[in-house]
Amino acid sequence: SRFETCWPALMKDSHGVIIIFNPDLPSHLKEIEMWYSCFVQQQPLLDSQCLLVAHHKPGSAGDMENLSLAYPLNKLKLIHSNLEEDPEDVRMEFIKYFRSIITIINESREKEEMSIIS
């Protein structure tokens, strides 16, 4: 991709990765493996620092329940967003995700401080 040269700058000091994809496009299912590999595994971030969002376009007949992702993507938190039907649900999931990231940041900061003290 023509933006690959920017990736190191994007990744620097990042604490979380949200990957949004269209589950109705088979090409997207292949691409998210590449995004996960580059942005999560190679950093390295924990799987809990990554959120997958399967975004369903208005009127798409996408089957929300039966989206089965292959390993290692199936270990990640996956939410379905359909802003027509349930925007509040998506908002709550984002808040939960951000809270978990803040917890991870605080815990790693405390570990660093303790290692400096001891």
Side-chain angles (χ1 to χ4, degrees):
S1 133
R2 59 203 159 133
F3 297 117
E4 266 177 61
T5 48
C6 309
W7 288 2
L10 284 173
M11 289 192 247
K12 189 178 169 353
D13 299 331
S14 64
H15 295 291
V17 175
I18 298 173
I19 300 172
I20 301 173
F21 65 100
N22 181 343
D24 300 325
L25 293 179
S27 63
H28 272 208
L29 298 177
K30 271 264 114 353
E31 276 176 40
I32 56 176
E33 287 178 24
M34 185 261 309
W35 290 111
Y36 171 74
S37 168
C38 292
F39 281 86
V40 181
Q41 288 180 310
Q42 286 173 31
Q43 286 214 70
L45 290 177
L46 301 169
D47 285 340
S48 56
Q49 287 168 278
C50 182
L51 178 66
L52 289 182
V53 181
H55 184 64
H56 299 266
K57 290 190 170 162
S60 75
D63 186 354
M64 287 202 183
E65 297 311 309
N66 290 326
L67 177 63
S68 59
L69 297 172
Y71 181 87
L73 298 171
N74 60 5
K75 301 182 300 174
L76 303 174
K77 170 86 175 147
L78 168 69
I79 66 170
H80 291 272
S81 74
N82 181 329
L83 300 180
E84 277 184 320
E85 284 174 26
D86 213 344
E88 189 54 31
D89 215 33
V90 176
R91 203 173 72 88
M92 290 311 298
E93 289 292 350
F94 269 99
I95 290 169
K96 263 196 270 183
Y97 169 70
F98 287 124
R99 281 200 185 125
S100 72
I101 295 294
I102 290 164
T103 303
I104 289 167
I105 294 168
N106 287 341
E107 282 171 0
S108 69
R109 194 170 291 150
E110 279 168 24
K111 270 195 201 123
E112 267 170 45
E113 286 168 3
M114 288 313 287
S115 68
I116 292 166
I117 293 165
S118 54

